[in-house]
Protein backbone atom coordinates (compact mmCIF):
# COMPACT_ATOMS: atom_id res chain seq x y z
CA UNK A 1 0.00 0.00 0.00
CA UNK A 2 2.84 2.43 0.80
CA UNK A 3 4.45 2.09 -2.64
CA UNK A 4 1.10 2.69 -4.36
CA UNK A 5 0.60 5.86 -2.32
CA UNK A 6 4.07 7.06 -3.27
CA UNK A 7 3.38 6.42 -6.97
CA UNK A 8 0.04 8.20 -6.78
CA UNK A 9 1.67 11.16 -5.03
CA UNK A 10 4.44 11.17 -7.66
CA UNK A 11 1.86 11.48 -10.42
CA UNK A 12 0.14 14.36 -8.60
CA UNK A 13 3.50 16.14 -8.31
CA UNK A 14 4.19 15.48 -12.02
CA UNK A 15 0.84 16.97 -13.05
CA UNK A 16 1.50 20.04 -10.90
CA UNK A 17 4.97 20.42 -12.43
CA UNK A 18 3.63 20.13 -15.97
CA UNK A 19 0.96 22.73 -15.25
CA UNK A 20 3.68 25.09 -14.02
CA UNK A 21 5.61 24.46 -17.23
CA UNK A 22 2.46 24.97 -19.28
CA UNK A 23 2.29 28.56 -18.04
CA UNK A 24 5.59 29.32 -19.80
CA UNK A 25 4.94 27.50 -23.06
CA UNK A 26 4.39 29.07 -26.42
CA UNK A 27 0.99 28.93 -28.05
CA UNK A 28 1.94 25.98 -30.27
CA UNK A 29 1.89 23.59 -27.31
CA UNK A 30 -0.70 25.07 -24.97
CA UNK A 31 -3.57 24.33 -27.34
CA UNK A 32 -2.58 20.65 -27.26
CA UNK A 33 -2.33 20.51 -23.46
CA UNK A 34 -6.00 20.17 -22.57
CA UNK A 35 -7.63 18.35 -19.72
CA UNK A 36 -6.27 17.54 -16.29
CA UNK A 37 -4.32 14.40 -17.16
CA UNK A 38 -1.09 14.82 -19.16
CA UNK A 39 -1.19 11.09 -19.95
CA UNK A 40 -4.69 11.24 -21.44
CA UNK A 41 -7.84 10.15 -19.71
CA UNK A 42 -9.68 8.09 -22.31
CA UNK A 43 -11.70 11.01 -23.67
CA UNK A 44 -8.70 13.25 -24.27
CA UNK A 45 -5.33 12.30 -25.81
CA UNK A 46 -2.05 12.70 -23.94
CA UNK A 47 -0.53 16.15 -23.93
CA UNK A 48 1.68 16.80 -26.94
CA UNK A 49 5.30 15.99 -26.13
CA UNK A 50 4.44 14.08 -22.94
CA UNK A 51 5.01 10.33 -22.79
CA UNK A 52 3.78 8.26 -19.88
CA UNK A 53 4.42 4.70 -18.78
CA UNK A 54 2.57 2.46 -16.38
CA UNK A 55 4.18 1.35 -13.14
CA UNK A 56 1.85 -1.01 -11.36
CA UNK A 57 -1.57 0.64 -11.28
CA UNK A 58 -0.19 4.13 -11.83
CA UNK A 59 1.11 6.16 -14.72
CA UNK A 60 4.29 8.18 -14.58
CA UNK A 61 5.65 10.84 -16.93
CA UNK A 62 8.78 9.37 -18.51
CA UNK A 63 9.48 11.71 -21.41
CA UNK A 64 9.06 15.43 -21.99
CA UNK A 65 9.86 16.61 -25.51
CA UNK A 66 8.87 20.23 -25.86
CA UNK A 67 11.24 21.66 -28.41
CA UNK A 68 11.04 24.54 -30.85
CA UNK A 69 7.91 25.97 -29.23
CA UNK A 70 9.21 29.32 -28.00
CA UNK A 71 9.58 28.59 -24.30
CA UNK A 72 10.93 31.92 -23.08
CA UNK A 73 12.74 32.67 -19.85
CA UNK A 74 14.70 30.69 -17.30
CA UNK A 75 14.96 26.92 -17.31
CA UNK A 76 11.63 25.68 -15.89
CA UNK A 77 12.74 24.33 -12.51
CA UNK A 78 9.41 22.52 -12.17
CA UNK A 79 10.81 19.99 -14.66
CA UNK A 80 13.08 18.71 -11.90
CA UNK A 81 9.99 17.42 -10.07
CA UNK A 82 9.38 14.89 -12.86
CA UNK A 83 11.46 12.25 -11.11
CA UNK A 84 10.61 9.42 -13.53
CA UNK A 85 11.89 11.25 -16.63
CA UNK A 86 14.18 9.25 -18.87
CA UNK A 87 14.18 11.84 -21.69
CA UNK A 88 14.09 15.62 -21.42
CA UNK A 89 14.25 17.53 -24.69
CA UNK A 90 13.83 21.29 -24.53
CA UNK A 91 16.09 22.14 -27.46
CA UNK A 92 15.58 25.09 -29.80
CA UNK A 93 13.64 27.32 -27.41
CA UNK A 94 14.59 30.60 -25.79
CA UNK A 95 15.67 29.39 -22.35
CA UNK A 96 18.04 31.73 -20.54
CA UNK A 97 20.11 31.71 -17.39
CA UNK A 98 21.72 28.70 -15.74
CA UNK A 99 20.70 25.06 -15.67
CA UNK A 100 19.46 24.69 -12.09
CA UNK A 101 21.36 22.39 -9.73
CA UNK A 102 18.07 20.57 -9.06
CA UNK A 103 18.66 18.82 -12.41
CA UNK A 104 20.58 16.27 -10.34
CA UNK A 105 17.24 15.01 -8.97
CA UNK A 106 16.41 13.36 -12.31
CA UNK A 107 18.25 10.12 -11.51
CA UNK A 108 16.55 8.11 -14.29
CA UNK A 109 17.39 10.60 -17.04
CA UNK A 110 19.13 9.03 -20.04
CA UNK A 111 18.77 11.81 -22.60
CA UNK A 112 19.09 15.53 -21.91
CA UNK A 113 18.87 17.84 -24.92
CA UNK A 114 19.09 21.57 -24.21
CA UNK A 115 20.96 22.69 -27.34
CA UNK A 116 20.03 25.83 -29.26
CA UNK A 117 18.89 27.83 -26.25
CA UNK A 118 20.54 30.81 -24.59
CA UNK A 119 21.50 29.10 -21.35
CA UNK A 120 24.37 30.74 -19.50
CA UNK A 121 26.78 30.00 -16.70
CA UNK A 122 28.65 26.76 -16.12
CA UNK A 123 27.11 23.31 -16.27
CA UNK A 124 26.17 22.50 -12.67
CA UNK A 125 28.21 19.71 -11.05
CA UNK A 126 24.91 17.97 -10.20
CA UNK A 127 24.82 16.79 -13.83
CA UNK A 128 27.44 14.30 -12.64
CA UNK A 129 24.78 12.71 -10.40
CA UNK A 130 22.88 11.54 -13.50
CA UNK A 131 24.56 8.14 -13.72
CA UNK A 132 22.20 6.82 -16.43
CA UNK A 133 22.78 9.79 -18.77
CA UNK A 134 23.99 8.61 -22.19
CA UNK A 135 23.21 11.71 -24.32
CA UNK A 136 23.91 15.28 -23.28
Amino acid sequence: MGLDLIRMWGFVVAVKALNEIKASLGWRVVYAWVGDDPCGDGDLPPWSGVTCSTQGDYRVVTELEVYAVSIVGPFPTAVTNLLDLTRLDLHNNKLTGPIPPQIGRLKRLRILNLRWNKLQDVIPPEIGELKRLTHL
Side-chain angles (χ1 to χ4, degrees), residues 50-67:
V50 175
T51 302
C52 299
S53 298
T54 302
Q55 290 185 0
D57 294 333
Y58 297 95
R59 292 175 294 170
V60 295
V61 177
T62 55
E63 297 183 8
L64 182 60
E65 297 179 90
V66 188
Y67 51 87

Side-chain angles (χ1 to χ4, degrees), residues 65-128:
E65 297 179 90
V66 188
Y67 51 87
V69 292
S70 302
I71 302 174
V72 176
F75 184 98
T77 306
V79 166
T80 64
N81 292 325
L82 301 173
L83 301 180
D84 292 296
L85 279 184
T86 59
R87 174 189 295 263
L88 175 59
D89 188 345
L90 299 175
H91 83 273
N92 199 18
N93 282 293
K94 296 175 184 168
L95 297 175
T96 58
I99 299 169
Q102 296 93 323
I103 196 82
R105 299 179 66 209
L106 303 177
K107 304 293 186 200
R108 296 185 174 140
L109 203 60
R110 292 189 178 131
I111 298 168
L112 175 61
N113 187 352
L114 301 174
R115 65 184 171 182
W116 300 322
N117 278 288
K118 296 181 181 188
L119 294 167
Q120 303 157 340
D121 213 352
V122 298
I123 295 176
E126 289 80 3
I127 290 275

